[in-house]
Amino acid sequence: GENVEQHPSTLSVQEGDSAVIKCTYSDSASNYFPWYKQELGKRPQLIIDIRSNVGEKKDQRIAVTLNKTAKHFSLHITETQPEDSAVYFCAAALTDSWGKFQFGAGTQVVVTP
Amino acid sequence: EAQVTQNPRYLITVTGKKLTVTCSQNMNHEYMSWYRQDPGLGLRQIYYSMNVEVTDKGDVPEGYKVSRKEKRNFPLILESPSPNQTSLYFCASSPVLSGANVLTFGAGSRLTVL
């Protein structure tokens, strides 16, 4: 089955700097890669996703890149702000079967003013 | 308002006392799933359901049961809870046929088993 590894587990960045979180997956058939943000005491919420037919997707200050050959994808946050402090989870899924939805272990991002 | 509702939000119970965590969604989603969240382990899938009367095991199904008798409801049952099931539980749903694939999570249920 699918296995998703996420690094780093914690990330401390200065406000205004960029943050990068990386994930690798094991099942080459996976074709959907979302990122979820979980603020303290809240539920996870989707912030961006990418499908296997594209290599990069941007939404304002966040972007996701996908390398299908290497089986890894990354989340990039530019110009970080204190409200970006949260736990971020990557995930991988196969939309054709849409059964198991495998999450990474999460990255605690702390943005210091 | 489109939402996933879980109850109870907080529960303290004792070993062996059967309990049910309810999950209901009002978005007519086909797919529903349960996760447990533990520090350093992320979100681990317990069970999922593709539609009514269709359920399957996730990565950590031991000690849990589910049922999907109606499209909107997907209760999580702990027949004989043990302390290692102390965790934060999330229910989530998603449309399948539309291809949107976005998981909508409930607010979470924090369970403590003494």
Side-chain angles (χ1 to χ4, degrees), chain A residues 33-65:
Chain A
F33 308 93
W35 287 88
Y36 283 78
K37 175 183 180 182
Q38 186 181 27
E39 297 176 354
L40 188 63
K42 301 287 181 64
R43 72 195 77 188
Q45 291 193 301
L46 180 76
I47 55 171
I48 195 167
D49 57 10
I50 191 168
R51 296 177 189 272
S52 59
N53 57 347
V54 297
E56 185 176 4
K57 184 177 179 180
K58 287 183 180 179
D59 184 2
Q60 299 183 327
R61 294 187 298 108
I62 60 173
V64 56
T65 58

XYZ file of all heavy atoms in Angstrom, chain A residues 33-65:
277
model
N -2.541 14.708 -4.785
C -1.644 15.066 -3.682
C -2.095 16.381 -3.053
O -1.728 17.467 -3.498
C -0.202 15.186 -4.209
C 0.230 13.975 -4.984
C 0.086 13.929 -6.362
C 0.750 12.871 -4.341
C 0.455 12.806 -7.095
C 1.138 11.739 -5.052
C 0.985 11.709 -6.428
N -2.890 16.292 -1.998
C -3.354 17.509 -1.323
C -2.480 17.875 -0.131
O -1.747 17.035 0.412
C -4.757 17.101 -0.849
C -4.624 15.632 -0.568
C -3.587 15.098 -1.543
N -2.591 19.121 0.263
C -1.951 19.603 1.489
C -3.022 20.187 2.398
O -3.859 20.969 1.950
C -0.912 20.683 1.169
C 0.331 20.149 0.546
C 0.565 19.949 -0.787
C 1.520 19.746 1.222
N 1.824 19.439 -0.977
C 2.440 19.318 0.243
C 1.921 19.714 2.570
C 3.727 18.856 0.554
C 3.193 19.260 2.879
C 4.088 18.839 1.878
N -2.951 19.808 3.667
C -3.910 20.286 4.650
C -3.176 21.071 5.732
O -2.060 20.720 6.127
C -4.675 19.116 5.283
C -5.747 18.552 4.393
C -5.435 17.693 3.339
C -7.084 18.900 4.574
C -6.411 17.188 2.503
C -8.074 18.397 3.744
C -7.726 17.550 2.709
O -8.706 17.060 1.876
N -3.837 22.108 6.213
C -3.297 22.941 7.284
C -4.182 22.764 8.513
O -5.409 22.823 8.406
C -3.298 24.411 6.860
C -2.863 25.395 7.937
C -2.989 26.821 7.408
C -2.570 27.852 8.455
N -2.732 29.237 7.956
N -3.552 22.540 9.661
C -4.302 22.382 10.891
C -3.790 23.373 11.919
O -2.686 23.220 12.452
C -4.201 20.960 11.431
C -5.081 20.707 12.646
C -4.940 19.298 13.189
O -3.916 18.658 13.045
N -5.990 18.787 13.818
N -4.577 24.372 12.202
C -4.227 25.322 13.245
C -4.517 24.709 14.611
O -5.292 23.750 14.720
C -4.998 26.626 13.039
C -4.628 27.314 11.738
C -5.456 28.558 11.469
O -6.393 28.830 12.234
O -5.150 29.248 10.491
N -3.899 25.247 15.629
C -3.998 24.683 16.965
C -5.454 24.550 17.415
O -6.201 25.526 17.407
C -3.221 25.543 17.954
C -3.075 24.978 19.363
C -2.291 23.679 19.336
C -2.397 25.996 20.275
N -5.852 23.331 17.748
C -7.195 23.084 18.243
C -8.274 23.072 17.178
O -9.459 23.005 17.500
N -7.873 23.123 15.921
C -8.853 23.161 14.831
C -8.784 21.884 13.981
O -7.911 21.035 14.169
C -8.579 24.382 13.938
C -8.654 25.708 14.670
C -10.077 26.084 14.995
C -10.192 27.421 15.696
N -9.748 28.541 14.852
N -9.700 21.792 13.045
C -9.705 20.648 12.136
C -8.786 20.916 10.952
O -8.546 22.076 10.597
C -11.132 20.402 11.647
C -11.648 21.444 10.661
C -13.153 21.373 10.489
N -13.858 21.971 11.601
C -15.185 21.911 11.774
N -15.922 21.256 10.908
N -15.766 22.482 12.797
N -8.264 19.867 10.304
C -7.471 20.068 9.086
C -8.341 20.660 7.981
O -9.502 20.293 7.823
C -7.010 18.655 8.723
C -7.150 17.858 9.976
C -8.319 18.447 10.694
N -7.724 21.561 7.206
C -8.434 22.148 6.076
C -7.518 22.168 4.862
O -6.330 22.474 4.981
C -8.912 23.564 6.419
C -10.014 23.587 7.468
C -10.696 24.920 7.582
O -10.033 25.909 7.866
N -11.993 24.969 7.373
N -8.088 21.874 3.724
C -7.325 21.853 2.478
C -6.837 23.250 2.134
O -7.598 24.216 2.181
C -8.207 21.334 1.345
C -7.539 21.258 -0.022
C -6.604 20.047 -0.080
C -8.579 21.173 -1.142
N -5.540 23.349 1.799
C -5.017 24.642 1.357
C -4.623 24.623 -0.123
O -4.720 25.646 -0.800
C -3.812 25.105 2.208
C -2.707 24.040 2.242
C -4.258 25.480 3.609
C -1.422 24.533 2.887
N -4.209 23.502 -0.624
C -3.852 23.389 -2.030
C -3.726 21.914 -2.382
O -3.441 21.088 -1.507
C -2.537 24.148 -2.346
C -2.350 24.348 -3.853
C -1.339 23.450 -1.729
C -1.257 25.350 -4.211
N -3.971 21.597 -3.629
C -3.786 20.219 -4.070
C -3.260 20.212 -5.495
O -3.324 21.219 -6.203
C -5.069 19.403 -3.959
C -6.240 19.993 -4.744
O -6.030 20.935 -5.542
O -7.386 19.535 -4.550
N -2.712 19.075 -5.888
C -2.172 18.952 -7.239
C -2.450 17.544 -7.742
O -2.441 16.578 -6.967
C -0.655 19.273 -7.263
C -0.150 19.412 -8.697
C 0.152 18.229 -6.500
C 1.254 20.008 -8.788
N -2.714 17.449 -9.020
C -2.933 16.148 -9.626
C -1.719 15.781 -10.470
O -0.931 16.642 -10.847
C -4.217 16.168 -10.454
C -5.422 16.414 -9.579
C -6.731 16.518 -10.334
N -7.775 16.966 -9.419
C -8.505 16.157 -8.670
N -8.323 14.849 -8.754
N -9.417 16.635 -7.855
N -1.633 14.522 -10.810
C -0.401 14.012 -11.412
C -0.152 14.515 -12.822
O 0.935 14.325 -13.353
C -0.422 12.487 -11.409
O -1.536 12.006 -12.123
N -1.144 15.164 -13.428
C -0.946 15.628 -14.794
C -0.316 17.024 -14.870
O -0.139 17.568 -15.957
C -2.264 15.599 -15.567
C -3.345 16.424 -14.903
O -3.209 16.833 -13.756
N -4.427 16.656 -15.615
N -0.006 17.616 -13.710
C 0.671 18.914 -13.691
C 1.878 18.834 -12.763
O 1.946 17.991 -11.883
C -0.264 20.056 -13.231
C -1.412 20.233 -14.193
C -0.774 19.802 -11.832
N 2.845 19.733 -13.008
C 4.052 19.706 -12.217
C 4.094 20.759 -11.123
O 4.859 20.624 -10.159
N 3.269 21.809 -11.258
C 3.305 22.881 -10.278
C 1.955 23.590 -10.248
O 1.266 23.704 -11.266
C 4.405 23.891 -10.628
C 4.587 24.988 -9.593
C 5.754 25.919 -9.915
O 6.368 25.750 -10.981
O 6.057 26.799 -9.097
N 1.614 24.058 -9.061
C 0.374 24.809 -8.912
C 0.595 25.883 -7.864
O 1.243 25.628 -6.839
C -0.767 23.872 -8.488
C -2.127 24.517 -8.388
C -3.166 23.464 -8.035
C -4.556 24.059 -7.887
N -5.550 23.009 -7.543
N 0.092 27.085 -8.136
C 0.293 28.200 -7.191
C -1.041 28.792 -6.784
O -1.999 28.825 -7.563
C 1.140 29.292 -7.850
C 2.594 28.958 -8.019
C 3.349 30.143 -8.625
C 4.816 29.815 -8.797
N 5.579 30.930 -9.402
N -1.068 29.296 -5.564
C -2.227 30.026 -5.078
C -1.702 31.088 -4.121
O -1.420 30.826 -2.963
C -3.206 29.092 -4.357
C -4.472 29.798 -3.910
O -4.619 31.003 -4.190
O -5.323 29.154 -3.268
N -1.533 32.267 -4.633
C -1.005 33.405 -3.882
C 0.369 33.061 -3.295
O 1.309 32.866 -4.054
C -2.007 33.837 -2.810
C -3.346 34.277 -3.410
C -4.337 34.768 -2.374
O -4.382 34.291 -1.241
N -5.148 35.737 -2.762
N 0.504 32.980 -1.989
C 1.821 32.750 -1.391
C 2.182 31.269 -1.259
O 3.274 30.939 -0.800
C 1.869 33.390 -0.009
C 1.779 34.904 0.004
C 2.009 35.462 1.390
N 0.990 34.994 2.344
C 1.214 34.116 3.300
N 2.413 33.563 3.446
N 0.240 33.760 4.137
N 1.310 30.386 -1.612
C 1.624 28.959 -1.500
C 1.700 28.316 -2.880
O 1.008 28.739 -3.820
C 0.615 28.206 -0.613
C -0.804 28.312 -1.185
C 0.664 28.707 0.807
C -1.790 27.438 -0.429
N 2.556 27.319 -2.984
C 2.725 26.591 -4.236
C 3.067 25.150 -3.903
O 3.631 24.855 -2.840
C 3.835 27.216 -5.074
N 2.708 24.279 -4.797
C 3.060 22.872 -4.651
C 3.725 22.419 -5.946
O 3.306 22.794 -7.038
C 1.836 21.997 -4.314
C 0.746 22.153 -5.356
C 2.217 20.553 -4.126
N 4.792 21.650 -5.808
C 5.478 21.076 -6.960
C 5.446 19.564 -6.842
O 5.464 19.015 -5.743
C 6.940 21.554 -7.036
O 7.620 21.186 -5.821
C 7.019 23.064 -7.207
